[in-house]
Amino acid sequence: MIEILHGGMLVPTSVSLCCAFGAARRDRVMGVVVGLAMLLAMADVVVRTQVLPTIVWGAILLLLALVVSAHASVRNRARPAAGTLVMAAHRGLGLVLMAASLILAGPSAGTVTTGAHTHASSGPAFVVLLGGATLAYAGFAAVAIARRLHGGQAGGGRQGWLRDGSLDLAAMTVAAVLMSVMVVMPAGS
């Protein structure tokens, strides 16, 4: 089961990265940087190449979350654009959730190694905290997507989901949820 989650995490992260390439020009660069960073971090952990320790990947993702927030704030002051802050908030929160999952799942935290994968040795408080944060993040994404689709922000047609960021929001959310599930899943599953 855990191997399915390992591979399953990379698919939505790859979709999110592809969506960033097709996004509106104002969101493209930040989306590509965030998507690439998340994909590289997850692939390093899943494939177990350990190019960088998980604590370093976590620090990179947290730093990138700060950059996303600052960039969106500066850009929104210069030229306010509909949905810009929602997308930036979603990316920033996704990076924080992903960083926490990577750090707590990796060998830098107290871990238990079983076979080819490692799980955080965590108590019920950790499971509740990570589960609550993941549910809140998924709820935020659901509301953001619903508002984009029902609020007339979607451009219509097949390009609408790419251009308005709805598919990117959905893919990034699925990746973060799968990562969280993998972290809290009991060892040996």
Side-chain angles (χ1 to χ4, degrees):
M1 176 69 168
I2 198 72
E3 288 76 19
I4 293 170
L5 285 175
H6 281 181
M9 288 184 315
L10 297 177
V11 173
T13 308
S14 299
V15 169
S16 179
L17 180 59
C18 290
C19 288
F21 281 108
R25 188 169 186 221
R26 68 181 185 275
D27 288 330
R28 190 173 301 145
V29 173
M30 195 55 67
V32 169
V33 170
V34 168
L36 190 58
M38 289 180 76
L39 183 63
L40 290 174
M42 291 173 83
D44 191 26
V45 170
V46 168
V47 179
R48 312 280 302 150
T49 56
Q50 294 184 342
V51 173
L52 295 174
T54 55
I55 193 78
V56 174
W57 279 118
I60 289 170
L61 294 180
L62 288 174
L63 180 62
L64 189 54
L66 292 172
V67 169
V68 166
S69 176
H71 179 263
S73 178
V74 168
R75 191 178 71 190
N76 198 47
R77 272 190 226 138
R79 279 188 308 175
T84 300
L85 291 180
V86 171
M87 193 64 165
H90 187 269
R91 282 187 181 132
L93 292 171
L95 286 164
V96 170
L97 185 61
M98 190 66 63
S101 296
L102 285 173
I103 290 168
L104 294 167
S108 60
T111 57
V112 176
T113 302
T114 58
H117 55 282
T118 304
H119 295 279
S121 57
S122 56
F126 167 71
V127 172
V128 170
L129 183 62
L130 186 62
T134 302
L135 287 175
Y137 180 70
F140 174 70
V143 169
I145 292 169
R147 285 188 176 170
R148 285 173 182 260
L149 295 178
H150 297 297
Q153 287 185 1
R158 290 191 304 216
Q159 293 290 324
W161 276 68
L162 273 177
R163 290 283 177 204
D164 78 345
S166 296
L167 185 57
D168 190 4
L169 287 169
M172 189 180 219
T173 302
V174 169
V177 167
L178 287 174
M179 182 67 181
S180 296
V181 167
M182 186 193 75
V183 171
V184 299
M185 182 174 269
S189 295

